[in-house]
Amino acid sequence: MREGAALLQGLAVCGHCGRRLAVHYSGRFAAPGYHCAGKNIVNGRGEYCLNIGGVQIDAAVAEAFLAALAPAGLEASLQAIEQFDADHETTLAQFRRDVERARYNAQRAERRYRAVDPGE
Ligand SMILES: [Zn+2]
């Protein structure tokens, strides 16, 4: 099982050559990493143009993403709470009217009942 999918899969591009970065998973915990498929010959060997571990980058991206999202999320939450409070008040007021009407009806029924009660 992979520890988690790389966040930037299909999104990140190489800062050196502009190629889209490929994702690989390496190590015992299949840590995600990104590499550029472009190869440079270094010391007679072909090496990836760019090859970086993805865990810290993904964490940083997630953090930045959440930070960017937070104000909007907070505002939406506050609106939801305000809406809930408004609905709650409306519901409570309606409930109180229902209770008041039920009590009135019950009292009237009781008076009517007592009025015709032959035992009275
Ligand atoms: Zn590259």
Side-chain angles (χ1 to χ4, degrees):
M1 269 304 284
R2 283 171 176 174
E3 183 68 16
L7 284 180
L8 300 179
Q9 184 155 21
L11 293 176
V13 293
C14 176
H16 297 154
C17 67
R19 282 188 180 87
R20 199 162 292 268
L21 294 185
V23 173
H24 61 263
Y25 296 87
S26 61
R28 202 152 61 91
F29 299 104
Y34 303 97
H35 67 269
C36 175
K39 286 194 176 183
N40 296 327
I41 305 300
V42 180
N43 297 330
R45 288 170 43 213
E47 290 195 351
Y48 286 127
C49 177
L50 184 75
N51 188 12
I52 47 174
V55 173
Q56 281 166 334
I57 290 173
D58 278 2
V61 167
E63 201 168 310
F65 180 72
L66 290 176
L69 213 64
L74 187 62
E75 196 166 318
S77 301
L78 288 175
Q79 276 175 3
I81 289 168
E82 279 171 16
Q83 186 61 43
F84 175 79
D85 278 352
D87 289 350
H88 191 63
E89 281 307 312
T90 307
T91 305
L92 264 182
Q94 180 65 42
F95 184 66
R96 286 198 194 95
R97 281 196 295 275
D98 288 350
V99 168
E100 207 51 51
R101 190 176 303 128
R103 183 186 291 152
Y104 173 77
N105 287 337
Q107 286 170 349
R108 200 172 60 172
E110 191 183 354
R111 280 198 301 274
R112 201 176 292 161
Y113 173 78
R114 289 190 187 285
V116 298
D117 186 358
E120 202 68 323

